[in-house]
Amino acid sequence: MRRLITTNMTEIKLTVQAPTLVNRDFVKPTLCGPGPCDVWPSVNEALTKPVISPICDEHFYVLDDIRAGLKYVFQTNCDTVLALSGSGHGGMETVINNLVGPGETLLVAKRGFWCERALEMAKRYGINTITTTVPMNETFSLQQLENELRKHRPTALFIVHGDSSTGIVQNLKSVGELCQRYGTLLLVDTVVSLVGVPFFMDDWKIDAVYTSTQKAFSGPAGISPVAFSDRALNKINNRTHQPPFYFDVKLLSQQWNCYGSTRVYHHTLSSPLLWALRQCLQEVIKETLPRSWARHAATTKHFLKRVEQLSLKTFVPKPEDRLMTVTTVVLPKGYDYLQFSKYMREKYNILIFPGIGQTVGKTLRIGLMGVNSTIQVADAVADAVAGTLIALKKSSL
Amino acid sequence: MRRLITTNMTEIKLTVQAPTLVNRDFVKPTLCGPGPCDVWPSVNEALTKPVISPICDEHFYVLDDIRAGLKYVFQTNCDTVLALSGSGHGGMETVINNLVGPGETLLVAKRGFWCERALEMAKRYGINTITTTVPMNETFSLQQLENELRKHRPTALFIVHGDSSTGIVQNLKSVGELCQRYGTLLLVDTVVSLVGVPFFMDDWKIDAVYTSTQKAFSGPAGISPVAFSDRALNKINNRTHQPPFYFDVKLLSQQWNCYGSTRVYHHTLSSPLLWALRQCLQEVIKETLPRSWARHAATTKHFLKRVEQLSLKTFVPKPEDRLMTVTTVVLPKGYDYLQFSKYMREKYNILIFPGIGQTVGKTLRIGLMGVNSTIQVADAVADAVAGTLIALKKSSL
């Protein structure tokens, strides 16, 4: 490439000199925390596909493909389905601020770290927040939720389907019907559950849902799929409050051509993330959803068996409450969770996480998701846990 | 990979069947619109680097490198420098909602499409908006800005440095001093100017700035560098309003360790976009900022000469007001801008854009940026423009 130089510019004095960025080599660990997860090889390739420009047909085809794939993974026939240009936290904020306005009430089924985030977000918009809670390692009963809905008749109920901070999956069957009975919209976090655990947006009458791509999707973070029911859409079309421009689903659904008539420019989408998400969806379609769910269940059940053989306890007592993507494991007295995780990385190059929020010092968080949801990886992690138990017993107990 | 199947799950009946996503081949055009631009080969490679996890040292090194590189390209010694997980529009919204609260006043120097966006965003937060305007192809004088600042003493002034909708670069020298005199914060859009055009955050006393990576950076969209002055930081620390959680620079600067003491988890950053941005910065550092500015100026001046030889007019009359990344060209009477752009793509596989907003039907928008800022690409585009002028004259005039 020929680079022309005009001398006057190169003589400009800079205030800040160029830094030196050192290229450090590192051996990537196997990512077996609650996320980010390793990516599918095909998704890694997809990241380098040609840049697509927002005014070209190629761009529109990719958006249409993504919407079709998302309808499949969310199991919905609703039209308001798209991917937000941001992380899962962006999805969380979008679902809340599009559906609940200042002065309206959001009931949060509070357990684990992510509900705290939802509460913090809601308060920033002047939303009245109410919480109902359960012990960290239990799920909400329909009865408890109904009592709160009856008492407060909130605009919306926020609940987490798969909770990576506690390793719990919340049974959502009948929660949607309950919400409809009390005129409440049902908002669901599926960041760490979707594609790994059965989920049926339409059948379960869920009004708004968001997820992330760096968990069971085995893709890169930075793009957050969201879906809204027709009830939710009705609220969006008739609300009096205005969400932030960047998160406004009314505008985003026009950019994503959700209703088959508009391709209105809203912001520039990230080409590599679009290609990557499309490829994640191709992987799910190739395997099929039921087989993906079955694989995650089989892998995690195998891992749980291995953990039991090591005489370790799982943090979640009831088998039916255990999340099949992220497992929480309790160490015997005397072990330090942070030290344990560090040793796993240093000795075995396997990355697992200690607890977060309420679960700090109470559990390890081990994710077997997406490309890492295999018996081989489960065995490798279990072997490393066994080795670490012995090594740290000698040195620290 | 061995995939275990438990039969009960694979027998679950799906509501929505798997779609077929057709893999379509297409020949990517040379991207010579106002963005997205083509990416550096090294940046494309960087997209596939190993996933880095938010609790690992490798992750922190990358964030530190990015901050060092951003301080260089923004030419600032301020500490509140980081990259937002979103597009340039996310950067725009962040800069506004972190610094201007409900009931406070934002003065918008209104010319072109992006100012309309800034106004739309500001209104959503209950901010009082005031505008001052100039003809589409002119810049603001200090006198005009001072009159408005004196009259309204706004909390902040929003102004666009490089405007891709009109092809204008706004001289910002002394605007910062002026703003300080009236107690006003200066917010600047450098989406299409940074790295391509000289910019000095500290010298010009700018309080908040954001940019995009898919323009002169020649990287992927989806991550938006932002920087805040100490005056702006003071406002952030003492404001009474709360911006959206996702955009809160107070929290983000803790995640990015802006002040050397915290690595607080806020949201999961996009690993490929972090690697890509780091590599974009490596490219600028390798070339140096002054040489990058000089190359963009030389390329665009060469292109302007070629355009004049075709007897075409530029949309911006004064040479010093012309943006050296995106050039706006006026076609002779009788040509249709949309048809012209389409023909350029179909015949020459070069993507240029027609006008947007106020400039629809008034100009072509041709970007020679980043990896495409070379004499060869400029000549190829000029040759294609010449050919299209002849072809469409025969067929349509």
Side-chain angles (χ1 to χ4, degrees):
Chain A
M1 178 171 43
R2 197 153 35 113
R3 291 180 169 179
L4 279 197
I5 308 297
T6 54
T7 43
N8 64 327
M9 280 215 186
T10 53
E11 282 161 12
I12 292 173
K13 228 187 111 197
L14 297 179
T15 327
V16 178
Q17 299 310 311
T20 304
L21 308 187
V22 181
N23 289 323
R24 298 174 192 81
D25 281 331
F26 76 99
V27 183
K28 190 200 72 62
T30 307
L31 300 177
C32 296
C37 183
D38 287 291
V39 301
W40 294 107
S42 70
V43 170
N44 221 31
E45 266 179 50
L47 282 166
T48 65
K49 291 189 84 165
V51 178
I52 40 175
S53 188
I55 62 164
C56 293
D57 287 345
E58 296 88 3
H59 184 254
F60 302 145
Y61 293 144
V62 172
L63 299 195
D64 292 349
D65 284 349
I66 288 174
R67 289 189 65 249
L70 290 180
K71 285 180 173 201
Y72 176 60
V73 294
F74 282 129
Q75 285 290 296
T76 184
N77 283 307
C78 292
D79 289 322
T80 314
V81 176
L82 55 91
L84 195 83
S85 299
S87 81
H89 271 85
M92 183 190 278
E93 194 143 9
T94 298
V95 157
I96 295 171
N97 68 33
N98 271 269
L99 294 176
V100 194
E104 293 182 339
T105 301
L106 178 68
L107 170 63
V108 174
K110 189 179 160 194
R111 188 223 322 99
F113 189 71
W114 312 110
C115 300
E116 304 277 357
R117 285 291 162 95
L119 283 168
E120 183 171 351
M121 287 175 185
K123 283 174 186 161
R124 287 168 180 250
Y125 294 93
I127 294 167
N128 298 326
T129 57
I130 296 169
T131 60
T132 180
T133 191
V134 282
M136 268 187 297
N137 53 0
E138 293 180 17
T139 57
F140 293 90
S141 69
L142 279 178
Q143 192 52 56
Q144 178 177 355
L145 295 174
E146 179 156 21
N147 289 346
E148 299 296 323
L149 290 169
R150 191 188 298 116
K151 192 156 52 171
H152 304 291
R153 301 200 177 247
T155 303
L157 163 64
F158 178 91
I159 197 163
V160 175
H161 183 220
D163 179 8
S164 67
S165 72
T166 58
I168 277 191
V169 66
Q170 170 69 43
N171 185 351
L172 291 175
K173 252 186 216 168
S174 310
V175 178
E177 269 167 46
L178 208 59
C179 284
Q180 292 203 355
R181 213 174 305 148
Y182 294 96
T184 298
L185 294 167
L186 176 57
L187 324 186
V188 178
D189 174 318
T190 63
V191 163
V192 81
S193 61
L194 207 75
V195 171
V197 174
F199 179 83
F200 299 90
M201 177 173 174
D202 287 2
D203 280 4
W204 295 350
K205 300 191 193 328
I206 286 160
D207 294 302
V209 57
Y210 63 96
T211 193
S212 264
T213 43
Q214 78 277 16
K215 313 275 182 174
F217 276 73
S218 260
I223 186 161
S224 173
V226 293
F228 294 82
S229 73
D230 291 343
R231 280 175 87 217
L233 181 62
N234 186 48
K235 173 69 189 263
I236 288 170
N237 287 332
N238 293 294
R239 68 189 174 204
T240 50
H241 74 279
Q242 284 200 302
F245 177 87
Y246 195 71
F247 294 133
D248 190 344
V249 170
K250 204 167 180 173
L251 303 178
L252 291 168
S253 58
Q254 288 168 21
Q255 176 163 40
W256 281 80
N257 191 27
C258 288
Y259 316 117
S261 57
T262 55
R263 302 277 193 189
V264 181
Y265 176 74
H266 179 269
H267 68 279
T268 301
L269 304 170
S270 181
S271 194
L273 296 185
L274 290 175
W275 283 122
L277 173 54
R278 183 181 180 280
Q279 189 55 38
C280 288
L281 294 166
Q282 282 283 42
E283 287 287 346
V284 181
I285 290 166
K286 193 171 71 183
E287 181 174 20
T288 80
L289 264 183
R291 281 174 189 270
S292 179
W293 299 333
R295 174 167 59 89
H296 282 83
T299 301
T300 294
K301 281 176 184 165
H302 176 78
F303 180 70
L304 284 167
K305 208 177 288 168
R306 289 288 317 268
V307 162
E308 278 165 27
Q309 285 164 2
L310 295 170
S311 304
L312 294 176
K313 287 216 157 39
T314 51
F315 183 71
V316 181
K318 287 190 191 163
E320 66 270 28
D321 294 345
R322 291 178 193 153
L323 184 58
M324 293 292 111
T325 50
V326 176
T327 299
T328 40
V329 175
V330 180
L331 292 175
K333 234 180 150 178
Y335 284 92
D336 180 82
Y337 287 90
L338 197 60
Q339 189 195 9
F340 199 95
S341 305
K342 276 190 179 167
Y343 190 86
M344 289 273 290
R345 167 79 199 265
E346 277 159 25
K347 173 81 177 175
Y348 300 100
N349 207 34
I350 290 174
L351 191 68
I352 63 166
F353 282 37
I356 187 173
Q358 286 182 302
T359 58
V360 167
K362 295 195 174 64
T363 182
L364 295 175
R365 298 186 296 145
I366 297 166
L368 295 167
M369 288 184 276
V371 71
N372 288 338
S373 173
T374 66
I375 298 302
Q376 288 90 330
V377 175
D379 277 336
V381 178
D383 290 347
V385 168
T388 306
L389 277 170
I390 293 166
L392 295 187
K393 187 166 196 170
K394 276 188 202 146
S395 65
S396 71
L397 299 189
Chain B
M1 181 170 41
R2 196 153 39 113
R3 291 182 168 179
L4 279 198
I5 307 298
T6 54
T7 43
N8 63 327
M9 279 214 186
T10 54
E11 281 161 14
I12 291 174
K13 229 186 109 196
L14 296 180
T15 326
V16 179
Q17 299 309 310
T20 303
L21 309 187
V22 181
N23 290 323
R24 297 174 193 80
D25 282 331
F26 75 99
V27 182
K28 191 201 70 63
T30 307
L31 300 176
C32 296
C37 183
D38 287 292
V39 301
W40 294 108
S42 70
V43 171
N44 221 33
E45 266 179 51
L47 282 166
T48 64
K49 291 190 84 166
V51 178
I52 40 177
S53 187
I55 63 164
C56 293
D57 287 345
E58 297 87 4
H59 184 255
F60 301 145
Y61 292 144
V62 172
L63 299 195
D64 292 348
D65 284 350
I66 288 173
R67 289 189 64 249
L70 290 180
K71 285 181 172 200
Y72 177 60
V73 295
F74 282 130
Q75 285 291 296
T76 184
N77 284 307
C78 293
D79 288 323
T80 315
V81 176
L82 55 91
L84 194 84
S85 299
S87 82
H89 272 83
M92 183 190 279
E93 195 144 7
T94 297
V95 158
I96 294 171
N97 67 34
N98 270 272
L99 295 175
V100 194
E104 293 183 338
T105 301
L106 178 70
L107 170 62
V108 174
K110 189 179 161 194
R111 187 221 324 97
F113 189 71
W114 313 111
C115 300
E116 304 277 357
R117 285 292 163 95
L119 283 168
E120 182 171 352
M121 286 174 187
K123 284 174 185 159
R124 287 169 179 250
Y125 294 93
I127 294 167
N128 297 326
T129 56
I130 296 168
T131 60
T132 180
T133 191
V134 283
M136 268 186 298
N137 52 1
E138 292 180 17
T139 57
F140 294 90
S141 70
L142 280 178
Q143 192 52 58
Q144 179 178 354
L145 294 175
E146 179 156 21
N147 289 346
E148 299 295 323
L149 290 170
R150 190 187 299 117
K151 193 156 48 169
H152 304 291
R153 303 202 175 243
T155 302
L157 164 63
F158 178 90
I159 196 163
V160 175
H161 183 220
D163 179 7
S164 67
S165 72
T166 60
I168 276 191
V169 66
Q170 171 69 44
N171 185 351
L172 291 175
K173 253 187 216 169
S174 310
V175 178
E177 269 167 46
L178 207 61
C179 284
Q180 292 203 355
R181 211 174 307 149
Y182 294 95
T184 298
L185 295 166
L186 177 56
L187 323 185
V188 177
D189 174 318
T190 63
V191 164
V192 82
S193 60
L194 206 75
V195 171
V197 175
F199 179 83
F200 299 90
M201 176 172 173
D202 287 1
D203 281 4
W204 294 351
K205 301 192 193 327
I206 287 161
D207 294 303
V209 57
Y210 63 95
T211 192
S212 263
T213 43
Q214 78 277 18
K215 312 277 181 174
F217 276 73
S218 261
I223 187 162
S224 174
V226 293
F228 294 82
S229 74
D230 292 342
R231 279 176 85 218
L233 181 61
N234 186 47
K235 173 69 188 261
I236 287 170
N237 286 332
N238 294 293
R239 69 189 174 204
T240 51
H241 73 280
Q242 284 200 300
F245 177 88
Y246 195 72
F247 295 132
D248 190 343
V249 170
K250 204 167 179 172
L251 303 177
L252 291 168
S253 58
Q254 288 167 22
Q255 176 163 41
W256 282 80
N257 190 27
C258 288
Y259 317 117
S261 58
T262 55
R263 303 277 193 188
V264 182
Y265 176 74
H266 179 269
H267 68 279
T268 301
L269 303 170
S270 181
S271 193
L273 296 185
L274 290 176
W275 283 121
L277 172 53
R278 183 181 179 282
Q279 189 55 38
C280 289
L281 293 166
Q282 281 284 42
E283 288 286 347
V284 181
I285 290 167
K286 193 171 70 184
E287 181 174 19
T288 79
L289 264 183
R291 280 172 190 271
S292 179
W293 299 334
R295 174 166 59 89
H296 282 84
T299 301
T300 294
K301 280 176 185 165
H302 176 79
F303 181 70
L304 285 166
K305 208 176 286 169
R306 290 287 318 266
V307 162
E308 278 166 26
Q309 286 164 359
L310 296 169
S311 305
L312 293 176
K313 288 217 154 41
T314 52
F315 183 71
V316 181
K318 286 190 192 161
E320 67 270 26
D321 295 345
R322 290 176 193 153
L323 183 58
M324 292 293 112
T325 50
V326 175
T327 299
T328 40
V329 175
V330 180
L331 293 174
K333 234 182 153 177
Y335 284 92
D336 179 82
Y337 287 90
L338 196 60
Q339 189 195 10
F340 199 95
S341 305
K342 276 190 177 169
Y343 190 87
M344 289 273 290
R345 166 82 200 261
E346 278 160 23
K347 174 80 178 175
Y348 300 100
N349 206 34
I350 290 173
L351 191 69
I352 63 167
F353 281 37
I356 185 172
Q358 286 182 301
T359 58
V360 167
K362 295 195 173 66
T363 181
L364 295 175
R365 299 186 296 146
I366 297 166
L368 295 166
M369 287 185 278
V371 71
N372 288 338
S373 173
T374 66
I375 299 301
Q376 289 91 330
V377 174
D379 278 336
V381 178
D383 290 347
V385 168
T388 306
L389 278 169
I390 293 165
L392 295 186
K393 187 166 199 172
K394 276 189 202 146
S395 67
S396 71
L397 300 189

